[in-house]
Amino acid sequence: MAVCARPAVWRRRGDAGRAARRPAETAAADSRAGKRTLRGDASRRELLGALSGALGGRGAGPQPPPRCSLLELPPELLVEIFASLPGTDLPSLAQVCTKFRRILHTDTIWRRRCREEYGVCENLRKLDITGVSCRDVYAKLLHRYRHILGLWQPDIGPYGGLLNVVVDGLFIIGWMYLPPHDPHVDDPMRFKPLFRVHLMERKSATVECMYGHRGPHNGHIQIVKKDEFSTKCNQTDHHRMSGGRQEEFRTWLREEWGRTLEDIFHEHMQELILMKFIYTSQYDNCLTYRRIYLPPGRPDDLIRPGLFKGTYGSHGLEIVMLSFHGTRARGTKITGDPNIPAGQQTVEIDLMRRIQLPDVESLRNFNELSRIVLEVREQVRQEQQQQEDGLGGGEGRGQQSPREPQRGSAQPSVEPPPEKVGEPGDGEAAAAAAPAPEQPARSGQGQPFVLPVGVSSRNEDYPRTCRMCFYGTGLIAGHGFTSPERTPGVFILFDEDRFGFIWLELKSFSLYSRVQATFRNAEAPSPQAFEEMLKNIQSLTS
């Protein structure tokens, strides 16, 4: 059958019709197509930007949209891209497709994540011998136990402690930090391992207890809740010694105090040492730990905040955290004793009340120091009384009860001390004086310093110059934290790394020296988190 061609006039009419319809009917279609093009270009630009960021900023500047999908990139380029992403994002990436999942088994990716996220500097290629991959190390060791890294305080009654959990090579190790032997406050910290976690020849991490002297043995770690975990030893017989409790005590005494019981002539100190051994050894390394943070610092702080070792009479050396809170500075015990437990505030310093002490010869007279400090205390009491009267609470607070009210010169008014502070109140020590002139703390200048006659000090090798001093209070109490009370004292700033405190009522001098150690994973996420942490550790022993 022949097919007749449509007349030209018909074709012209159809073209004219389509042309007539174009403005009205195709405008919307053109708009939709334009939007799709814009969205497509934006998506391509986002993808290009993501790839550029993953590759460390390669190809800076405007580039044409990529003409291939991510799947079409060469494997070596994908390895580099994936290795630059956080390890926590990679499992989701592995679910995209088989190709991504296969590439994510490349050990180069996980070796980089172990190094950049957890600081593993070991030659991870050694793992090939054991059959454990870097991916296993990341997923089953580092990532799984990441929540226990950082600083912790063990719940050992009043004694507390300082635990630092770190990645050490191919291990995660919990190191207990111990002060140097009394009274050598400037010596470096000591430390011993309590537990370790490693991944060697198995496909799951192994927890081992390191307590005792018979080598690593079976242990267990349980993450109780956020910022809290516990350890348990499953073979406590490894903690026992063949010589029984006497041998265990002698060994502990040498490690804890660096001496024998016969070397300690003070009967009260012997009782305190024996009491601590009996109390702490009953835990058998089955402990609960709560996270602590290092104090945040500001440029205008008197000195850099942080951890310090301090002398505490018959209790030996203890660890204190110095932090700044506006016009106040506080020293919080990280380790403690039966009188003032860990978590309590051992000293509090009023940074608005500088104390101008007389010359060295006058300071040798303890009564002169006492007069100056008690004048300041009476002034503080009167200002607090006026503030309470102004608020309608004119009853007063008799617990301050100054023993020697004296006239005092006017000084800046400050808010009342917010919380208690703490010093070991074993009653045998005495407070010391330290003169400090009105000079800038960071000026490097100093004034001669000497302890008044009759003031006791565990360490006679204290600094003989100081920069400045402030009025402060210290907490003393009876055994078992009974009848705690705040007593006046003097905070003495020696230099950036050392300060002292005068316990006026006890006639005792405590010297503090900075803990010279670097701690990872110990920064507070916010100032509020740090304040909350201080309240929590104090409430446990209140």
Side-chain angles (χ1 to χ4, degrees), residues 170-469:
L170 299 179
F171 294 85
I172 290 178
I173 303 180
W175 295 98
M176 181 70 84
Y177 275 63
L178 306 171
H181 293 138
D182 180 59
H184 308 292
V185 70
D186 286 326
D187 286 357
M189 295 284 286
R190 302 172 295 125
F191 42 87
K192 64 178 182 180
L194 292 191
F195 63 84
R196 71 181 185 182
V197 190
H198 64 106
L199 186 72
M200 297 300 288
E201 298 181 357
R202 301 182 183 179
K203 292 297 182 179
S204 60
T206 299
V207 179
E208 293 177 325
C209 175
M210 304 291 288
Y211 190 79
H213 298 83
R214 296 170 60 180
H217 46 283
N218 195 321
H220 176 71
I221 290 178
Q222 179 181 3
I223 299 177
V224 180
K225 57 182 179 181
K226 186 179 182 296
D227 296 334
E228 183 176 322
F229 77 96
S230 62
T231 59
K232 180 182 179 182
C233 176
N234 296 329
Q235 294 176 289
T236 55
D237 57 298
H238 280 62
H239 305 168
R240 308 283 79 86
M241 301 185 74
S242 58
R245 295 289 278 175
Q246 289 187 356
E247 183 182 359
E248 293 171 14
F249 173 65
R250 287 194 298 268
T251 303
W252 175 87
L253 186 59
R254 285 195 301 270
E255 295 176 350
E256 187 83 7
W257 290 82
R259 62 181 81 176
T260 65
L261 196 62
E262 291 74 21
D263 296 332
I264 303 172
F265 301 105
H266 199 290
E267 184 177 346
H268 180 57
M269 183 180 291
Q270 291 180 353
E271 294 175 354
L272 291 173
I273 291 173
L274 184 59
M275 185 187 309
K276 184 175 182 179
F277 169 75
I278 295 174
Y279 191 97
T280 57
S281 61
Q282 66 180 337
Y283 284 89
D284 266 336
N285 206 25
C286 299
L287 299 168
T288 298
Y289 298 88
R290 295 177 179 85
R291 184 180 294 280
I292 59 176
Y293 299 116
L294 291 178
R298 299 182 304 177
D300 58 344
D301 287 338
L302 188 65
I303 59 173
R304 180 165 53 92
L307 298 174
F308 290 78
K309 306 154 284 184
T311 56
Y312 279 85
S314 297
H315 300 292
L317 300 187
E318 298 183 10
I319 303 174
V320 170
M321 177 184 289
L322 179 68
S323 56
F324 292 91
H325 311 261
T327 60
R328 305 273 174 173
R330 298 172 188 165
T332 303
K333 280 194 170 187
I334 302 302
T335 63
D337 53 68
N339 292 81
I340 307 298
Q344 294 297 318
Q345 291 179 9
T346 180
V347 292
E348 183 172 85
I349 303 99
D350 189 339
L351 299 176
M352 296 296 290
R353 299 188 187 276
R354 291 276 298 272
I355 292 182
Q356 179 69 40
L357 298 178
D359 59 83
V360 172
E361 291 303 318
S362 299
L363 278 174
R364 295 185 186 276
N365 184 349
F366 179 76
N367 292 332
E368 177 67 12
L369 172 68
S370 179
R371 180 190 65 80
I372 294 173
V373 176
L374 291 176
E375 280 184 359
V376 178
R377 186 180 71 166
E378 174 61 15
Q379 178 190 333
V380 172
R381 189 195 67 81
Q382 291 178 0
E383 292 179 357
Q384 290 177 349
Q385 184 69 56
Q386 292 172 1
Q387 290 177 359
E388 291 177 355
D389 291 344
L391 295 174
E395 299 176 359
R397 299 203 319 195
Q399 62 264 37
Q400 294 290 339
S401 61
R403 296 180 179 83
E404 301 179 28
Q406 304 271 352
R407 52 169 174 65
S409 57
Q411 294 198 23
S413 176
V414 195
E415 70 274 13
E419 299 180 72
K420 289 194 173 183
V421 289
E423 120 85 2
D426 58 4
E428 66 167 2
E438 292 289 334
Q439 297 170 347
R442 296 180 176 85
S443 66
Q445 302 175 355
Q447 174 181 343
F449 170 76
V450 66
L451 287 176
V453 176
V455 170
S456 66
S457 173
R458 297 289 297 175
N459 193 331
E460 294 299 329
D461 188 23
Y462 58 85
R464 293 310 195 264
T465 60
C466 64
R467 295 183 183 177
M468 59 174 62
C469 59

Side-chain angles (χ1 to χ4, degrees), residues 150-152 162-166 173-177 518-520:
L151 289 178
W152 304 83
L162 179 64
L163 181 82
N164 186 25
V165 183
V166 299
I173 303 180
W175 295 98
M176 181 70 84
Y177 275 63
T518 301
F519 300 102
R520 295 188 61 181

